[in-house]
Structures are given as structure tokens and as C-alpha cells.
Amino acid sequence: MRKWSLLVLLLSLYSFSQNRTLEKQFDSVLSQYAKSDQPGLAGAVLQNGKVLYMKGLGVEDVETKKVITPQTKFQVEDLAKQFTVLSVLILEEKGKLSQEDDIRKYLPQLPEYQYVIKIKHLLNHTSGLHNLDPMKELLSITTNDRFTQQDALKIIGSQKKLNFQPGTQFSYHRSDTEIILLAEIVTAASGVAFTEFTKEQVFKPLGMKNTVFSNGQTMLSDMAKSYSIGDQIDYLPQTDFTLGVNNLYTTIEDFATWFQLYSSNHQYSPLVKKLDEYVKLDNGKEYASSWGKLALGRYYDHPERGLPKMSWQYGLVAGYGANVFRFQSHDVTGFV
């Protein structure tokens, strides 16, 4: 995680029959990050549920020169969304909510719109609510301004009328509004804070021991600092503290554990696999854009260079960058 040069590596994966040869090839391509005085990255490749490559390169802190390892935590921004959706699916399985529920059952502070928004509309990206980003711009909120979950909820709650009847159209593809509301529904339906629910009911059962949602109030151990790299290296502080869509800190080791669930018999594996289902309108039509088809896990599927099925998602916030490619047809996953 941090930056990405991974697609060309994954597309050349099939040329290598021995792990040592593969490791040397990856090390060669990623060598620019293997510096003892500059921010680096962590990357991994899985095939058939087995780790073929996992390594940290560079340092997590340019002052202490502490090196990046597979246990170093990074912020992954949009890659957090799949865990918010999974949290809702877990609560549904436990009987704590239904996708047919009116969201105001859990969020009564929201306006009474002209149409009912159901949980399924948030999950399927069809709510009719505004994209949060342009609303922030109208309010002159920049990336340098501290922005919290409560700030987001206040802006979302200011929308009195919907853009369209829920379930009849898809929302803007980069909209964070619905995931933020899903995180709040997790809190209301479970009776505990979103950060606590995900810790105890998602990450702990999944064996992701170094993964946590953080609101920025607690300093995490073994966390890579966020930097801007130009003519010089500058610390770039995180300013967006929204949850569900953002502020997931995880390791390359834990993400390997996560993607191995697609090939395992874990109790949550059936729910995890549901994240691959495409979002759809109430009439069953699926979402398709130039980015590809959008899945419930908030990543995009589309063919790539002759491979029949590939999904991807990226995260980019402050000085952090993360990217995931899954080639389902060959059961290969790579992430940095």
C-alpha cells in the first residue's frame, strides 16, 4: 500500500513458475521504493488463496527510519467501504435489520423525504441523495479543513428533497453519502459505536488483528506516516475523519487474510462473496460505467487485456495510496 505499479506485475505473473523468480521480478519493479530514507510501500500477491509475494519496502517514518513490514498499518480510504457493507450484511443475518427497512427507522434525524429510502437503496447506490463532495465545495470546505462524521451528517441532513425516486437511478459513482449513512445505521442497529462493532464483529472474527477504523483521536502503533513527495518530503496530515468510507487502517498481512476468505470455508465467507454481487435498481438493472460494473463491495468489474473478469478499487487520501486488482478468472489478487 502507499503507491501502485502493480497491474503490469500481475499481468506478467503467469510467465513465472517458481516463487523465487517471481519475487526477484517484483523486487526489481518495486526497487524505487526500497530506500532507507524515503517513504515506501507494502505489497502482496495471492493465487488460489496462497501468498506468492508479501513484502514491505522503504520506511514508515523518515525521521526514525523505521522500516515498513507486512505488519505496518496504512490508511486505505475507499477500500474501507467493503467492510461497512459487510457490517450491514452481518447485522441482517443476525436479524438486527432488514434491507427493506426505511433508513429513518435508524436515522430519525434525517428529513422526511417525498419517497422512502430503504437500506437496500443505500447498499445498491440508488438513494437519490446528493454526492457529498460538491456540497462540501459549495460550503468552501477544502481538503485542508478538518472534516468529521458529524460534519458530514449535518450536510447530508440538509438535503430536503431527493434527486430522484430511490431505486430508479444510480448515484454518482464516487459518492460517499450512502456509505456514511450505512455506518451510522450499523451503530444504531447494533447499539455500539461503529468502530467497536467492526473491531469485535468483523475484524476479530476474520483474524484481521491489526485492522481498525479510527476517528483520528487515538495514535495507532506501527502506522506509516502520511507524506507528500516532491522536491522534498513533507508530512501531510489527515484532515478527513469520516467513518465507513474512510479512516480504515490495515496491514498488507491482514489484507491477505481478507482476500483468502474468498477461497476458504470461514463462517463469513458466504457474506464476503455477496460483496461481488452487482448493485442494481429496483427493476433489476445493473450499474455500468466507463469504470466498469459496480459491486456491492464498492469496487468495479471489467475485462482487462483479454482476461475475462477483473475487479479493482483504489484509495487515495492525504499522502496514502492503495490499490487492489482481483483477477477472478485466474484466482489472482494483488494489492499495494
Side-chain angles (χ1 to χ4, degrees), residues 115-132:
Y115 302 107
V116 172
I117 304 176
K118 299 180 179 181
I119 290 178
K120 70 176 183 181
H121 296 136
L122 298 183
L123 289 171
N124 284 282
H125 205 51
T126 65
S127 69
L129 291 164
H130 288 315
N131 176 15
L132 187 62

Side-chain angles (χ1 to χ4, degrees), residues 27-176:
D27 285 346
S28 174
V29 173
L30 298 175
S31 61
Q32 61 179 306
Y33 303 107
K35 298 179 180 179
S36 61
D37 60 348
Q38 291 190 20
L41 55 75
V45 177
L46 307 178
Q47 186 173 36
N48 300 322
K50 296 181 180 180
V51 176
L52 298 184
Y53 181 89
M54 181 183 294
K55 188 171 290 189
L57 302 98
V59 300
E60 66 179 51
D61 187 321
V62 297
E63 294 180 355
T64 66
K65 302 296 191 296
K66 186 175 182 180
V67 300
I68 292 172
T69 73
Q71 294 78 43
T72 301
K73 298 182 183 70
F74 293 88
Q75 225 270 58
V76 295
E77 206 228 5
D78 269 15
L79 273 62
K81 294 178 178 179
Q82 58 198 318
F83 298 101
T84 306
V85 173
L86 178 62
S87 297
V88 174
L89 298 181
I90 290 171
L91 286 169
E92 180 184 32
E93 187 175 71
K94 293 177 180 293
K96 297 291 187 179
L97 56 78
S98 167
Q99 292 191 35
E100 295 295 328
D101 288 342
D102 183 341
I103 65 171
R104 295 187 72 253
K105 175 180 178 180
Y106 306 95
L107 306 173
Q109 69 272 28
L110 291 178
E112 188 170 349
Y113 304 109
Q114 69 268 42
Y115 302 107
V116 172
I117 304 176
K118 299 180 179 181
I119 290 178
K120 70 176 183 181
H121 296 136
L122 298 183
L123 289 171
N124 284 282
H125 205 51
T126 65
S127 69
L129 291 164
H130 288 315
N131 176 15
L132 187 62
D133 287 344
M135 297 173 71
K136 290 168 64 176
E137 290 181 14
L138 289 172
L139 294 170
S140 299
I141 298 172
T142 72
T143 55
N144 294 322
D145 296 319
R146 181 180 174 85
F147 190 73
T148 67
Q149 189 82 343
Q150 291 306 311
D151 293 330
L153 292 172
K154 184 177 180 180
I155 293 174
I156 294 169
S158 68
Q159 181 180 348
K160 306 302 182 183
K161 293 185 178 182
L162 302 177
N163 297 340
F164 51 80
Q165 183 176 346
T168 64
Q169 298 182 44
F170 290 107
S171 303
Y172 176 67
H173 68 288
R174 286 286 291 165
S175 178
D176 289 341

Side-chain angles (χ1 to χ4, degrees), residues 299-317:
Y299 43 79
Y300 297 86
D301 276 0
H302 63 85
E304 179 68 35
R305 305 191 190 189
L307 296 175
K309 187 172 176 61
M310 188 274 280
S311 62
W312 66 280
Q313 180 57 288
Y314 75 92
L316 187 63
V317 62

